[in-house]
Amino acid sequence: MNQMTVLYDAFGKPSTLKRGWGYSALVEYAGKRVLFDTGNDGNDFAYNVRALSVDLTRLDFVVLSHRHGDHTSGLHHVLSVNPGVKIYTPVEPAGFGTPTSPGLLKLIQRKVDSLPEDMRYFGGNPLEKQVAGTPWPGAGFAQIREPTEVLPGLFLFSTQSDATGFKEMNEISMAIRTPQGAVLIVGCSHAGIEKILEVASKIDSRIYSVIGGFHLVDVADAEVSRMASSFRDKWKIERMAAGHCTGQFALSELIRAYGSKFDHAGVGSVIALPQ
């Protein structure tokens, strides 16, 4: 069965599932199982995983789209049941066990003779190699720099934000090649959903559907309406399954533009993917 199950979001049809501001989804395609993001509250994420009978020991890998806590906080639970799972992350200088850049290492290693001995980094003998700390020691992080086919037909790629408040933050998205075009899965689209579409279209010129957070919650209504129509008319995207930070007005505009081809993607939703 090719499908995606939303494990964590702030809206959804009535159920006992926990809601929260954040995102997580289980992607099942061509026999592979991928966890995309892990929600904002580890306990609520774990509750929803159990309630939806998701076996986290049977994952091919995990994707953390970006560093924000509303996408990473359930990772402790994932690692508690599957400590060896591979975790793809963006390049993040401040986390995910990233090695310190050679330029910064050189600055740290600079020796200034006039500086008192007890104020020299590492007593005047700085490390030759330094990595960023992480709340998940021992986790199997692998960072995505260039578009990468991590499994046959399944691609991860990175985009960088230039938006105020998120400048230079890297975020990875996932594209699955299917017979009907690419299924694109996004976390928060901080780089801009149209910028992400541009990169995805180089992997597959046909984009069948887009699932996840579009970050249009703070975009002017007129621009949101333009984009909703552009997804349908310019990009020829057949289906939409927006959620998380897309925004209430944007969700209503996407429903207007797509009608029956808009897939409800609240917590607990199961979205069919092309066979």
Side-chain angles (χ1 to χ4, degrees):
M1 181 68 71
N2 294 337
Q3 63 185 28
M4 177 167 162
T5 305
V6 180
L7 306 180
Y8 198 102
D9 209 324
F11 70 98
K13 295 181 179 179
S15 74
T16 60
L17 296 172
K18 306 294 185 181
R19 301 181 187 186
W21 185 259
Y23 194 67
S24 177
L26 176 70
V27 181
E28 298 172 275
Y29 194 82
K32 303 300 182 183
R33 304 175 82 251
V34 177
L35 180 66
F36 190 93
D37 285 340
T38 65
N40 186 61
D41 183 290
N43 290 331
D44 287 350
F45 167 77
Y47 175 91
N48 288 352
V49 164
R50 289 190 295 269
L52 293 166
S53 300
V54 173
D55 185 356
L56 296 177
T57 68
R58 293 178 51 239
L59 298 175
D60 287 276
F61 59 85
V62 175
V63 176
L64 296 180
S65 63
H66 61 295
R67 67 180 182 242
H68 287 163
D70 56 334
H71 295 256
T72 61
S73 294
L75 185 58
H76 279 294
H77 177 68
V78 177
L79 292 172
S80 73
V81 298
N82 191 348
V85 68
K86 191 166 193 175
I87 306 161
Y88 287 105
T89 78
V91 175
E92 176 52 72
F96 303 134
T98 308
T100 302
S101 70
L104 181 57
L105 271 178
K106 188 174 181 180
L107 293 173
I108 291 172
Q109 292 164 354
R110 179 186 177 190
K111 184 177 180 181
V112 179
D113 291 336
S114 61
L115 190 69
E117 184 73 28
D118 61 358
M119 294 187 70
R120 294 177 182 174
Y121 295 138
F122 303 100
N125 298 292
L127 302 175
E128 293 297 320
K129 182 179 180 182
Q130 177 87 8
V131 297
T134 170
W136 310 285
F141 293 124
Q143 294 173 329
I144 296 295
R145 289 171 169 80
E146 303 295 331
T148 304
E149 189 172 12
V150 292
L151 288 173
L154 200 158
F155 296 78
L156 296 177
F157 62 92
S158 180
T159 50
Q160 189 174 83
S161 174
D162 59 6
T164 301
F166 306 109
K167 284 189 182 296
E168 299 185 347
M169 186 175 72
N170 295 310
E171 181 172 342
I172 55 176
S173 305
M174 183 163 70
I176 305 171
R177 275 189 181 150
T178 82
Q180 296 184 50
V183 172
L184 177 60
I185 301 164
V186 296
C188 256
S189 303
H190 285 299
I193 184 62
E194 290 179 303
K195 183 176 180 179
I196 292 172
L197 288 171
E198 290 282 359
V199 180
S201 67
K202 293 178 173 62
I203 295 171
D204 194 322
S205 60
R206 297 180 305 156
I207 298 176
Y208 173 74
S209 66
V210 187
I211 307 172
F214 294 8
H215 212 279
L216 302 179
V217 67
D218 56 354
V219 175
D221 288 358
E223 176 65 1
V224 167
S225 297
R226 180 200 67 77
M227 293 172 72
S229 297
S230 179
F231 297 148
R232 181 193 61 201
D233 301 332
K234 173 190 172 182
W235 291 97
K236 307 298 183 185
I237 299 168
E238 292 191 37
R239 303 194 73 89
M240 279 287 171
H244 182 39
C245 56
T246 300
Q248 304 277 265
F249 179 76
L251 289 171
S252 70
E253 284 295 273
L254 289 168
I255 292 170
R256 175 192 61 78
Y258 276 87
S260 63
K261 292 187 175 182
F262 181 89
D263 294 308
H264 186 284
V267 63
S269 293
V270 177
I271 302 159
L273 303 179
Q275 300 300 311

